[in-house]
Amino acid sequence: MYRVDSMIADEFISDEEIRETLRYADENRHNAALIESLLAKAEERKGLGHREASVLLACDIPELNERIFSLAGEIKRDFYGDRIVMFAPLYLSNYCVNGCVYCPYHAKNRHIARKKLSQDEICREVIALQDMGHKRLALETGEDPVNCPIDYVLESIRTIYSIKHRNGAIRRVNVNIAATTVENYRKLKEAGIGTYILFQETYHKESYLKLHPTGPKHDYNYHTEAMDRAMEGGIDDVGCGVLFGLELYRYEFAGLLMHAEHLEAVHGVGPHTISVPRIKHADDIDPDAFDNGIDDETFLKIIACIRIAVPYTGMIISTRESRSVRERALKYGISQISGGSRTSVGGYFEPEDEDDNSAQFDVSDNRTLDEVVKWLMDLGYVPSFCTACYREGRTGDRFMSLCKSGQIQNCCLPNALMTLEEYLMDYASPETKAIGEKVLKEQLLHIPNPRTAEIARRHIEDIVRGERDFRF
Ligand code: SAM
């Protein structure tokens, strides 16, 4: 049975509907007339359903594939302009009671160094992150009710928000912790989190059960229904994702979009972000042991098709991916990237040594945040450290309606430029600063409303003079 508005995972992520979708997509992968009509519909920038988008993903006609990529690029520019939101992960604890076969945190791994940060250690990490220039974090933990209970996560969030080192501040803490109860989601909301992020890993139930053989994460329905509980607990920004490589990518793609459709149908708002991680080498994990790895071209096509299907949903790529893949992914849909990331517990203050490895996976893009910021500007993007929407309460459906009406442009670009100026003044290397000042001048001309542009110009002058108020 397939019911988008059901609250039961097996119904809103219906295996039968996904298989039917994949059959339909396969039958139509050479159907130029249908694909043309889907592209025409997608040009209206209102998105596509999972079946329609699955046909685009399956499309086997080179000229039409080119059009898919170029439309994704246009939609990306229309909705996000040149802005790219910056963030960094912060690993609090890698204790874990689960048995996820792709993750080195799994409970049977006896040689990974187990660590959990004390509040003092969190301070050191946050100061290191602030000194790089970060304003937005994604908290990461393994699942362990004893070593990493919800109270520890809540205390850590309070600690992070309380630290103001020099001009630094973490203004948005997103949280990527295991599926939990409505009550705990409510507590996270009260603690002032931004987005609650949880990767589905795979929507294929049978594979899910095998890939998560032991521990609380084994419960597929509890995990898949987590976003509904988060929304019931008052969190209106949720971030979805699958770990590509575990199952057939087309199955995951359809499942991901069905999940988004379900959240929109039941809660009136789809996911705030979609992440696209691929399995990486890690302590005792060999990505080649998984049969469903995808090549870079397929990966980019998935990103392009997600962009077309859900134009309003932010898309995140991490340092799991190399500089060159990230560069291409930015063009077709990615709106948020991490920079200067460490995936080890305590790795910002004290970089890992070989014998004391607590990292979750190997990072492919090892550049510093300053290098990433400069690279983005060299490519014509505006790195944004803005968190204003969240701070002004523009979350959930309020954010989505601004986005859908196009009004977000008048609001996001000035904020991005002001936070970029803060970064340039406080943290940038001389080369980055020189390029940044040029970018700022040019981009101020792109703010649609002249009055808003004038206000932004004045605020930027204030920032240069050292007069700050933390609205962003
Ligand atoms: N423990 C939390 C949970 O149960 O959902 C999530 C936090 S975990 C630190 C973040 C994500 O890293 C996981 O959801 C998984 O998708 C991803 N991950 C785990 N092992 C990985 C690997 N070998 N390569 C790439 N990503 C991996």
Side-chain angles (χ1 to χ4, degrees):
M1 192 206 301
Y2 173 48
R3 280 194 43 207
V4 71
D5 59 344
S6 162
M7 298 291 268
I8 301 166
D10 294 324
E11 290 180 2
F12 65 80
I13 305 293
S14 149
D15 176 64
E16 197 189 332
E17 170 61 18
I18 297 182
R19 287 177 195 283
E20 192 48 48
T21 297
L22 299 190
R23 243 191 318 275
Y24 175 74
D26 262 340
E27 279 163 20
N28 286 294
R29 67 187 204 278
H30 296 123
N31 184 342
L34 174 68
I35 296 167
E36 297 256 11
S37 75
L38 293 173
L39 282 168
K41 182 172 177 193
E43 273 168 18
E44 291 169 23
R45 284 141 172 77
K46 295 206 171 86
L48 292 179
H50 62 273
R51 278 206 185 197
E52 297 167 324
S54 292
V55 174
L56 294 191
L57 186 62
C59 166
D60 216 2
I61 306 172
E63 310 85 73
L64 290 179
N65 276 335
E66 270 174 38
R67 283 188 45 203
I68 290 172
F69 278 110
S70 83
L71 178 61
E74 282 168 31
I75 292 177
K76 159 81 200 298
R77 278 190 301 281
D78 283 359
F79 283 93
Y80 300 90
D82 297 324
R83 299 179 310 281
I84 303 292
V85 170
M86 309 302 301
F87 79 100
L90 172 57
Y91 283 77
L92 294 183
S93 163
N94 63 0
Y95 285 92
C96 197
V97 295
N98 287 314
C100 316
V101 303
Y102 50 83
C103 179
Y105 289 0
H106 66 87
K108 284 199 184 132
N109 187 348
R110 300 272 174 243
H111 44 87
I112 194 168
R114 298 287 172 179
K115 292 185 187 169
K116 170 191 172 181
L117 297 178
S118 67
Q119 298 306 307
D120 283 345
E121 287 167 330
I122 292 175
C123 288
R124 296 195 317 203
E125 289 289 282
V126 171
I127 288 173
L129 283 155
Q130 289 185 4
D131 280 348
M132 288 159 71
H134 277 296
K135 305 283 189 240
R136 177 188 292 248
L137 300 183
L139 289 198
E140 309 280 340
T141 71
E143 179 168 12
D144 187 327
V146 174
N147 288 300
C148 186
I150 190 71
D151 287 340
Y152 166 74
V153 176
L154 297 169
E155 187 186 0
S156 306
I157 295 168
R158 280 193 294 273
T159 300
I160 293 167
Y161 279 134
S162 73
I163 300 163
K164 303 278 171 335
H165 179 67
R166 303 205 177 105
N167 283 335
I170 299 303
R171 299 173 184 159
R172 179 171 176 133
V173 178
N174 298 331
V175 172
N176 181 8
I177 62 166
T180 185
T181 58
V182 174
E183 193 194 341
N184 286 345
Y185 286 124
R186 201 162 281 131
K187 290 180 183 169
L188 287 167
K189 175 70 184 173
E190 281 160 13
I193 70 159
T195 310
Y196 171 65
I197 301 164
L198 182 70
F199 300 157
Q200 179 61 33
E201 320 299 6
T202 175
Y203 284 97
H204 190 287
K205 186 169 185 177
E206 216 180 297
S207 299
Y208 182 99
L209 297 176
K210 286 189 195 134
L211 290 159
H212 305 94
T214 53
K217 196 164 171 176
H218 180 71
D219 188 335
Y220 172 87
N221 280 25
Y222 188 74
H223 188 83
T224 311
E225 293 157 10
M227 296 314 193
D228 296 284
R229 290 194 302 281
M231 288 191 163
E232 199 184 326
I235 298 175
D236 48 7
D237 281 352
V238 298
C240 297
V242 291
L243 186 54
F244 285 104
L246 297 180
E247 244 303 333
L248 295 173
Y249 70 90
R250 289 174 52 208
Y251 192 101
E252 306 293 25
F253 176 83
L256 194 52
L257 292 184
M258 286 165 73
H259 200 176
E261 287 161 14
H262 160 74
L263 294 175
E264 173 115 35
V266 173
H267 305 280
V269 54
H272 186 66
T273 54
I274 288 179
S275 298
V276 288
R278 284 195 282 188
I279 305 181
K280 293 280 304 177
H281 174 267
D283 184 57
D284 65 347
I285 306 297
D286 173 10
D288 295 335
F290 299 86
D291 296 335
N292 296 303
I294 45 172
D295 60 24
D296 292 348
E297 291 312 309
T298 308
F299 183 58
L300 291 165
K301 188 157 181 211
I302 292 170
I303 290 172
C305 290
I306 295 176
R307 179 42 63 242
I308 290 173
V310 284
Y312 318 115
T313 304
M315 233 196 287
I316 303 180
I317 202 164
S318 74
T319 53
R320 287 177 183 86
E321 299 298 333
S322 66
R323 169 189 171 145
S324 61
V325 169
R326 297 211 310 164
E327 182 163 332
R328 296 174 68 200
L330 284 167
K331 203 165 152 200
Y332 302 122
I334 297 296
S335 56
Q336 229 184 90
I337 68 169
S338 47
S341 305
R342 297 270 189 282
T343 65
S344 50
V345 182
Y348 291 105
F349 181 77
E350 223 159 14
E352 285 287 301
D353 63 53
E354 297 262 307
D355 311 327
D356 189 24
N357 181 20
S358 67
Q360 199 191 16
F361 50 80
D362 293 354
V363 157
S364 296
D365 186 342
N366 283 301
R367 290 172 297 166
T368 62
L369 177 63
D370 190 68
E371 287 166 336
V372 174
V373 167
K374 178 173 177 297
W375 163 75
L376 285 172
M377 295 191 298
D378 283 336
L379 294 172
Y381 295 108
V382 178
S384 171
F385 293 88
C386 184
T387 58
C389 279
Y390 156 70
R391 296 169 68 80
E392 299 286 329
R394 284 192 297 270
T395 57
D397 56 351
R398 276 159 302 210
F399 171 79
M400 286 298 171
S401 56
L402 256 183
C403 206
K404 289 177 186 173
S405 69
Q407 273 309 310
I408 206 88
Q409 307 286 27
N410 253 322
C411 173
C412 287
L413 182 57
N415 284 337
L417 296 179
M418 289 185 265
T419 56
L420 177 59
E421 181 65 79
E422 281 188 304
Y423 175 84
L424 297 177
M425 293 297 297
D426 293 341
Y427 308 105
S429 64
E431 303 78 49
T432 304
K433 193 166 178 196
I435 295 175
E437 296 301 349
K438 262 203 256 158
V439 168
L440 279 177
K441 245 193 224 137
E442 282 164 22
Q443 290 283 341
L444 274 167
L445 303 172
H446 296 171
I447 298 175
N449 180 328
R451 210 177 108 69
T452 313
E454 186 46 36
I455 295 170
R457 201 184 315 275
R458 268 196 250 132
H459 279 318
I460 287 174
E461 284 165 13
D462 289 347
I463 292 166
V464 173
R465 278 199 304 275
E467 288 168 24
R468 317 272 177 101
D469 55 16
F470 292 105
R471 275 182 312 258
F472 315 116

